[in-house]
């Protein structure tokens, strides 16, 4: 029944048909996300925010990969993204743990307090 | 001008050709020498090694002295045995004892493509003559030094005797080597040992300066010697004496025919170069300045190295390569004039000095001048005889001065000592000094020094064109007699008086270490006010024994000089049997013999035979010198400090002061050579510092500067890095865009 309903809706033109989403749409979204992340990373001093911004840039790259994979009818892109997500999750847990430790040392989340960590 | 006359004089009187050829063949066909000859240099080397081991094991006894004395005595015995062997082989024979192949190199099979300089010993009578007094005196002086150096037992004692032994080894290589390269090795070896021993008291700045001066001045001469040896190789194709002498034939032939101009220039250049080497080692003008300063060394060193043996190496070199010197038109006259002027200059300086050891040093320079003159006037017998007699009496004079220095705490000023010979325990020293002074002054008839000096004077007046040198030498003989007896009359006789020197440490209690020298406890300062407590420390048995033996030997030196077998006096036959005679002495003797015939070759002394006239004249001159010294420095003298001579000084005006200041030669050298060199070397030092070093420093500075300029980018600011990265990406993207569109 459900199936019958949906196909019925589709036959009646619902939802309203949109222009076909092309590769360019995906890439633009990806680019916007990346730039938002970059700007956030450059302008904020809060370690947690900065970390979130890097996550944003990560995911922007992921979207681009999936989009290009679909475009080339190739699953490699998606496979890659799965791996990246996994690594990113692990890395996120570590990064947050580190930030907690840093916070405990200086009671502050500012990146500028940690200049002495230079090489 | 003199040159031509000498050459023409004796060139016409050369032995007949077949005789010369025979001599050459005899020289070339040497027989194997006795193996025992090799012991003469090897035993001192062994002693050197053992003394070195003593130093390594910190021996605190007189052991190194006894090792040295024993080895040197054995070495002397080996030389005596060799001399006897040589005598059996007959007059004029040459033996070669090879030890091992040293340099033996071929680069082809043709003649001339072969260089050989082996460790082999050339044994002829000249070698034996030299080695006899070198090893003999070295033994005696080592015995003397065993006592003289006793306050250094356990400190420098091993070092002293090690260097002493090494010196004798080097001297043996120099004298016995059968080629010029081995001679050069010995030449440098004795120079090194001289340096080490002059600088023995290395904590004393003046000793260090003197050692450096001796070494550097000798380097100048050595450079020319090395060049001469190289030229020998270039021209004669060999550095071995036998080969060289065998190959001078063509040049001799030219000389015999009177075609002096056709002798190759290179052959004439060789003796000129060798000569400068000899001037350096034997302290002649202009390189004599190191010898007086060398008196900073311990006295036994002055006696052995700087009076008796090493400084005669130059005379030996010329005597050994005499045939080469005969081939040059200028070499022998230059040798003669340099010798004569040195003799006079040094004698005038010696007259005005107050340090008795320095007076003896100038006297050595002066007497070496005599020896060179002897060689120059074709009287190599006279030269060798004077080397021989001088070795004994001058060593004795030095050792006597050394005994005084040792006993009076380093006092050497003749104004502060008087009547030493009459003090208790100083008799032997006084007698030895008297005998030495008589010899040096040339006291007539009874002294060996008189006879050997006479030979040179006689030869000088007998050789045409050399009379001027004869007159200079005659004047010098008078001056020598005066300054010698000035020392004797001032220091050894007259009223008893002494002021000790500043080296009182020798009389401290002997358990006390002397390493601190005059520092730390201030010995001199502590004792200076109490000179009354000072007791001169009379020489012990070793010093007295050696001085006694030498006093006898100095007289006994007449025996070989005056007596001998069929070939004339023993010493003359020793010289005539070697390369020093080869042609020269034959020519001069022939000249004398023929002189009566044509009256051209043989000059006379106011119509009298030069040799006979000299026996009287030089005796009288020597006597006058002694008499003047007696009148000025002994007669009526009541204090040590002043004598009648002082009142005469103003009469000489600036001359006396100038002589006292050694004619300002050191100052002139300083101004003309040392200062300009100093300026040049400072300029080079600046170039080195700012140009060369600057370049190198820049290479190190540039990377640092770059790093410094980049350092702010690594400030640890996270946002800085991020902007950098973002900017970099932006630039890359921009480039990609520009390239694609």
């Amino acid at each position: 029944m459900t199936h019958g309903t949906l196909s019925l809706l589709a036959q009646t033109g619902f939802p309203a048909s949109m222009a076909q989403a092309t590769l360019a749409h995906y890439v633009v979204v990806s680019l916007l996300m990346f730039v938002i992340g970059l700007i956030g990373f450059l302008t904020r001093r809060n370690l947690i925010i900065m970390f979130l911004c890097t996550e944003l840039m990560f995911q922007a790259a992921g979207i681009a990969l999936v989009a290009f994979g679909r475009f080339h009818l190739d699953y490699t892109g998606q496979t890659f993204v799965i791996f990246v997500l996994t690594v990113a999750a692990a890395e996120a847990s570590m990064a947050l743990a580190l930030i907690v430790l840093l916070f405990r040392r200086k009671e502050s989340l500012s990146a500028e307090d940690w200049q002495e960590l230079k090489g | 001008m003199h040159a031509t006359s000498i050459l023409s004089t004796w060139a016409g009187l050369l032995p007949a050709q077949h005789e010369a050829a025979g001599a050459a063949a005899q020289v070339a066909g040497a027989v194997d020498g006795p193996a025992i000859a090799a012991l003469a240099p090897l035993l001192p080397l062994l002693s050197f090694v053992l003394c070195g081991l003593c130093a390594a094991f910190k021996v605190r006894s007189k052991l190194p002295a006894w090792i040295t004395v024993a080895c040197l005595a054995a070495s002397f015995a080996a030389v005596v045995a060799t001399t006897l062997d040589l005598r059996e082989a007959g007059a004029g024979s040459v033996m070669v004892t090879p030890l091992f192949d040293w340099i033996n190199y071929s680069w082809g099979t043709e003649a001339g493509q072969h260089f050989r300089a082996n460790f082999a010993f050339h044994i002829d009578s000249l070698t034996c003559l030299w080695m006899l007094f070198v090893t003999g005196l070295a033994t005696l002086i080592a015995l003397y030094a065993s006592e003289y150096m006793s306050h250094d037992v356990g400190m420098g004692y091993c070092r002293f005797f090690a260097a002493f032994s090494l010196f004798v080894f080097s001297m043996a290589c120099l004298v016995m080597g059968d080629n010029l390269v081995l001679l050069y090795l010995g030449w440098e070896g004795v120079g090194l040992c001289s340096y080490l021993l002059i600088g023995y008291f290395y904590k004393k700045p003046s000793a260090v300066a003197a050692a450096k001066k001796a070494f550097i001045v000798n380097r100048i001469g050595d450079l020319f010697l090395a060049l001469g040896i190289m030229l020998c190789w270039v021209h004669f194709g060999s550095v071995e004496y036998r080969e060289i002498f065998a190959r001078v034939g063509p040049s001799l032939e030219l000389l015999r025919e009177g075609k002096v101009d056709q002798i190759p220039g290179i052959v004439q250049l060789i003796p000129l170069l060798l000569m400068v080497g000899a001037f350096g080692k034997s302290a002649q003008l202009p390189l004599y300045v190191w010898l007086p300063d060398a008196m900073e060394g311990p006295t036994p060193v002055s006696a052995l190295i700087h009076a008796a043996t090493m400084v005669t190496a130059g005379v030996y070199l010329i005597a050994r390569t005499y045939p080469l010197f005969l081939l040059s038109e200028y070499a022998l006259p230059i040798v003669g004039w340099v010798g004569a002027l040195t003799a006079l200059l040094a004698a005038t300086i010696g007259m005005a000095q107050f340090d008795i050891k320095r007076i003896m040093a100038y006297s050595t320079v002066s007497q070496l001048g005599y020896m060179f003159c002897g060689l120059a006037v074709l009287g190599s017998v006279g030269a060798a005889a004077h080397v021989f007699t001088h070795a004994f009496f001058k060593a004795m004079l030095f050792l006597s001065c050394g005994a005084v220095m040792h006993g009076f705490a380093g006092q050497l000023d003749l104004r502060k000592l008087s009547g030493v010979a009459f003090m208790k325990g100083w008799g032997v020293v006084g007698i030895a000094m008297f005998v030495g002074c008589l010899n040096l002054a040339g006291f007539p008839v009874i002294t060996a020094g008189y006879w050997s000096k006479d030979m040179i004077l006689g030869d000088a007046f007998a050789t045409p064109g050399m009379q001027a040198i004869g007159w200079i030498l005659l004047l010098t003989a008078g001056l020598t007699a005066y300054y010698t007896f000035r020392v004797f009359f001032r220091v050894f006789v007259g009223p008893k008086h002494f002021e000790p020197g500043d080296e009182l440490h020798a009389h401290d209690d002997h358990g006390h270490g002397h390493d601190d020298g005059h520092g730390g406890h201030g010995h001199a300062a502590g004792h200076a006010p109490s000179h009354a407590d000072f007791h001169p420390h009379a020489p012990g048995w070793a010093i007295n024994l050696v001085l006694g033996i030498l006093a006898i030997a100095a007289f006994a030196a007449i025996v070989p000089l005056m007596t001998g077998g069929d070939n004339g006096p023993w010493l003359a036959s020793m010289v005539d049997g070697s390369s020093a005679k080869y042609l020269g002495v034959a020519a001069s003797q022939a000249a004398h013999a023929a002189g009566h015939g044509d009256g051209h070759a043989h000059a006379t002394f106011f119509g009298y035979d030069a040799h006979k006239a000299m026996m009287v004249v030089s005796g009288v001159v020597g006597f006058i010198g002694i008499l003047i010294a007696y009148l000025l420095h002994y007669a009526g003298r009541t204090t040590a400090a002043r004598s009648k001579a002082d009142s005469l000084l103003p009469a000489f005006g600036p001359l006396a002061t100038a002589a006292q200041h050694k004619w300002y030669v050191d100052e002139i050298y300083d101004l003309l050579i040392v200062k300009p060199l100093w300026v040049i070397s400072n300029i080079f030092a600046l170039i080195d510092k700012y140009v060369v070093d600057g370049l190198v420093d820049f290479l190190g500075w540039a990377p640092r500067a770059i790093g410094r300029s980049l350092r702010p980018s690594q400030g640890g600011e996270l946002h800085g890095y991020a902007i950098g990265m973002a900017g970099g990406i932006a630039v890359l993207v921009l480039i990609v865009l520009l390239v694609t569109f």
Side-chain angles (χ1 to χ4, degrees), chain B residues 536-583:
Chain B
H537 144 118
W541 66 269
I543 288 181
N544 280 334
L545 176 68
V546 170
L547 287 177
I549 294 174
L550 279 176
I552 294 165
F555 273 121
I558 296 185
V559 176
L561 217 59
M562 305 304 288
T563 63
D566 306 331
N567 301 323
W570 182 79
L571 204 139
S573 70
M574 290 290 268
V575 178
D576 286 348
S578 71
S579 62
K581 168 215 179 167
Y582 193 26
L583 289 170

Side-chain angles (χ1 to χ4, degrees), chain A residues 44-58:
Chain A
R44 304 299 293 266
R45 295 287 179 269
N46 188 313
L47 283 172
I48 293 177
I49 303 289
M50 285 168 75
F51 174 67
L52 290 180
C53 289
T54 59
E55 287 297 314
L56 209 54
M57 289 189 277
F58 242 140

